[in-house]
Amino acid sequence: MHMTSLKNKVVFITGATSGFGKETAISFAQKGARLIIAARRKEKLNELAAFLKKKYKTAVLVLPLDVRKKTAVALAVKKLPAAWKDIDILVNNAGLSRGLDKLHEASLQDWEEMIDTNIKGLLYVSRAVIPAMVKNNSGHIINIGSIAGHEVYPKGNVYCATKHAVDAITKGMRLDLVDTDIRVTTIDPGLAETEFSIVRFRGNVNKAKSVYTGIEALSAKDIADAVIYAASRPKNVVIAEIILLPNKQGSSQVVHRK
Ligand code: NDP
Ligand code: 8X3
């Protein structure tokens, strides 16, 4: 079987303004894919689009979108121009953590934000995009889960619950699409240095940095490489799950720091 060419494939990436999503967009552009880049920060999307068009001469559609807004998500997908309607690869990456608190002390608003983004947002986007894949009997859904979808760490309670949900949803998708040619993958990283901890600690850069001191954390490029690996396997091969840890991270909690 031949490797799957990514040239001219339409790739829809959520959370493309930063971290994994941005780096994944760059990696797909290098392979000649056409990109729909979605997130809330429009200026950052425009900057990335300009960069990708200039450097890789690739076609890019900027889609300012809050994945928590179900009507907006459905409408945005419905209104895609004809040339962009047949999405080949969906990367459900948009997500965040808020806070690191004991469950009985945590903010309800933090919970809502994580649940609405990481679970409901992923579901809204999937529900809007997958029907056309089923109609075409073709496509690949790549969900970004986490080591936190396999293990629970102290004070990680609700964030870990959202990533366990992504794991269950991914498995559910694979079962429900088993009679199609559509592939379903989850990429589950451990510690990776992006804006993730800055968002978790609401802009406290020093606290965010301390999460990665004494180790060489994964970079966004490491995750993008895993996404590209899964997407480019021959059509008969499904990379169901990749758990990706930085060296010296043995589990969510066991990290050997210099
Ligand atoms: P970043 O904070 O760097 O990027 C998160 C991206 O998600 C941004 O582009 C942000 O864009 C977007 N986003 C957040 N909320 C929404 C929303 N409501 N609607 C649309 N887009 C949204 O973090 P990472 O790149 O590290 O995280 C990407 C994914 O990887 C997340 O799902 C995260 O849970 C997961 N993950 C991260 C790990 C890590 O250690 N970094 C490890 C394992 C998994 P904008 O603000 O412009 O909307
Ligand atoms: C992010 C990884 O371990 O910081 O999903 O929660 S962790």
Side-chain angles (χ1 to χ4, degrees):
M1 268 285 196
H2 295 293
M3 301 291 267
T4 302
S5 167
L6 301 176
K7 193 158 178 59
N8 291 325
K9 289 280 186 310
V10 176
V11 183
F12 184 168
I13 304 173
T14 66
T17 48
S18 169
F20 306 166
K22 182 177 175 182
E23 211 54 49
T24 298
I26 293 170
S27 294
F28 273 114
Q30 281 168 345
K31 302 279 180 196
R34 295 186 287 145
L35 293 160
I36 303 173
I37 51 173
R40 293 165 299 176
R41 288 172 290 177
K42 195 176 172 186
E43 329 72 62
K44 284 194 174 281
L45 289 174
N46 285 332
E47 272 170 35
L48 177 63
F51 170 76
L52 296 175
K53 284 179 190 168
K54 189 163 179 222
K55 182 141 191 208
Y56 303 107
K57 313 272 178 276
T58 191
V60 184
L61 184 79
V62 163
L63 200 63
L65 191 63
D66 185 333
V67 297
R68 294 172 298 178
K69 305 209 162 138
K70 65 179 164 206
T71 311
V73 169
L75 203 63
V77 173
K78 193 171 167 208
K79 283 186 151 179
L80 284 172
W84 295 91
K85 272 198 184 305
D86 290 325
I87 294 163
D88 296 294
I89 300 166
L90 167 63
V91 184
N92 270 319
N93 163 74
L96 80 181
S97 63
R98 284 293 198 194
L100 189 65
D101 302 292
K102 290 190 176 181
L103 188 124
H104 56 279
E105 292 168 355
S107 143
L108 270 63
Q109 204 205 312
D110 286 350
W111 293 353
E112 310 272 10
E113 202 176 346
M114 291 187 279
I115 291 166
D116 288 351
T117 311
N118 301 0
I119 307 177
K120 291 164 78 178
L122 180 146
L123 286 169
Y124 296 152
V125 174
S126 301
R127 183 64 183 85
V129 170
I130 298 174
M133 288 183 172
V134 172
K135 204 165 148 223
N136 296 335
N137 191 30
S138 168
H140 194 161
I141 302 145
I142 302 178
N143 295 329
I144 305 298
S146 171
I147 183 76
H150 300 273
E151 297 175 34
V152 181
Y153 52 84
K155 302 181 179 174
N157 43 63
V158 173
Y159 177 71
C160 296
T162 67
K163 290 299 178 177
H164 275 68
V166 172
D167 184 54
I169 291 164
T170 306
K171 288 171 177 153
M173 284 177 174
R174 199 176 301 114
L175 294 174
D176 293 343
L177 293 166
V178 75
D179 57 349
T180 74
D181 286 348
I182 300 165
R183 301 188 287 180
V184 183
T185 296
T186 178
I187 308 285
D188 297 346
L191 290 164
E193 195 160 3
T194 58
E195 289 180 12
F196 177 84
S197 290
I198 298 172
V199 171
R200 168 170 255 174
F201 299 123
R202 294 191 182 275
N204 186 334
V205 176
N206 288 337
K207 201 167 173 187
K209 271 260 161 235
S210 72
V211 175
Y212 312 105
T213 47
I215 56 156
E216 191 178 338
L218 295 169
S219 69
K221 176 76 167 63
D222 296 322
I223 283 74
D225 287 348
V227 173
I228 296 289
Y229 175 81
S232 57
R233 289 313 88 201
K235 286 263 175 280
N236 66 317
V237 177
V238 175
I239 302 296
E241 175 178 306
I242 297 179
I243 300 178
L244 207 70
L245 300 174
N247 204 348
K248 305 286 194 298
Q249 179 173 24
S251 72
S252 266
Q253 284 193 77
V254 178
V255 180
H256 182 73
R257 297 177 196 270
K258 266 190 224 138

